[in-house]
Amino acid sequence: DGLTGLYNRIYFEQQMERINGEGILPVSVIMGDVNGLKLLNDVYGHKEGDNLLKAVANILNEKCSEKDIIARWGGDEFTVILPDTTNIEAEEICKNVKSACEKCSFEPIILSIGLGVSTKTSSLVNLYEVLKDAEDRMYTHKLVEGKSLRSTIISSLQKTLFEKSCETEEHANR
């Protein structure tokens, strides 16, 4: 991927086919979707949005191992294949990624990503089914976390706009 330096979707899909064919078990898949990218792009421009994507890519690189295949799936979505990784281990990686996002000093919003994980433990299951399951779990998490997270992002943006503008706070709130 030209922006993040991660693998792109085409390479990722090739690796899914390879791993599927080799019968590596267990293999976990993480699907992630960056929260607030559209809002950040709309308010601060695409350069800030690009910086957000790069920050997430760096965290994924830090929290995953060299054997893991990390890719930008498209737009604000990332995927990770974790060969020889159980579901418990993959869930721990997700916790570490979320924790690193919370600790990251990205401005002007709080860095956050919705994550879903699923694990292939049988050679009878296709890795694409595991990817779909991870995606479904990610969207479920985003629905549960969505309202409070959106409110936090909007509050953060309002605060920054008010600090950088000569407009009144009432105007910023409107």
Side-chain angles (χ1 to χ4, degrees):
D1 177 62
L3 178 66
T4 63
L6 299 176
Y7 293 115
N8 63 26
R9 184 175 180 156
I10 293 169
Y11 180 82
F12 184 86
E13 289 179 345
Q14 290 169 346
Q15 293 306 300
M16 284 196 40
E17 291 294 328
R18 179 187 64 79
I19 289 169
N20 228 6
E22 291 177 3
I24 296 170
L25 293 175
V27 59
S28 294
V29 176
I30 297 173
M31 173 72 85
D33 185 270
V34 178
N35 296 314
L37 179 66
K38 182 181 181 338
L39 203 50
L40 185 69
N41 280 340
D42 290 348
V43 175
Y44 291 97
H46 290 275
K47 185 168 176 54
E48 281 303 313
D50 289 350
N51 290 336
L52 178 68
L53 293 172
K54 290 176 193 174
V56 170
N58 288 336
I59 289 171
L60 288 170
N61 266 323
E62 288 173 13
K63 299 304 171 187
C64 294
S65 73
E66 286 187 21
K67 70 178 167 87
D68 301 333
I69 301 158
I70 311 165
R72 183 163 169 219
W73 186 250
D76 60 356
E77 293 182 330
F78 294 87
T79 50
V80 184
I81 300 173
L82 305 129
D84 301 313
T85 305
T86 66
N87 195 270
I88 292 170
E89 293 167 330
E91 290 283 359
E92 188 64 28
I93 291 168
C94 288
K95 284 180 192 172
N96 292 338
V97 168
K98 284 187 155 291
S99 176
C101 285
E102 289 170 8
K103 292 175 185 172
C104 181
S105 60
F106 186 83
E107 291 288 334
I109 67 170
I110 296 167
L111 188 57
S112 170
I113 185 169
L115 297 170
V117 64
S118 185
T119 303
K120 176 179 174 173
T121 57
S122 166
S123 58
L124 301 176
V125 177
N126 187 299
L127 202 49
Y128 281 98
E129 294 171 43
V130 176
L131 177 66
K132 175 68 173 124
D133 187 45
E135 182 178 34
D136 291 345
R137 290 170 189 235
M138 173 196 68
Y139 283 122
T140 299
H141 290 166
K142 284 183 76 81
L143 282 174
V144 170
E145 300 166 353
K147 286 184 182 178
S148 64
L149 182 64
R150 184 171 176 82
S151 175
T152 302
I153 290 171
I154 290 173
S155 295
S156 173
L157 291 172
Q158 281 179 323
K159 181 179 176 235
T160 304
L161 282 173
F162 180 64
E163 288 171 355
K164 294 188 178 195
S165 170
C166 61
E167 300 292 336
T168 65
E169 187 172 359
E170 292 81 22
H171 182 76
N173 287 333
R174 281 195 303 277

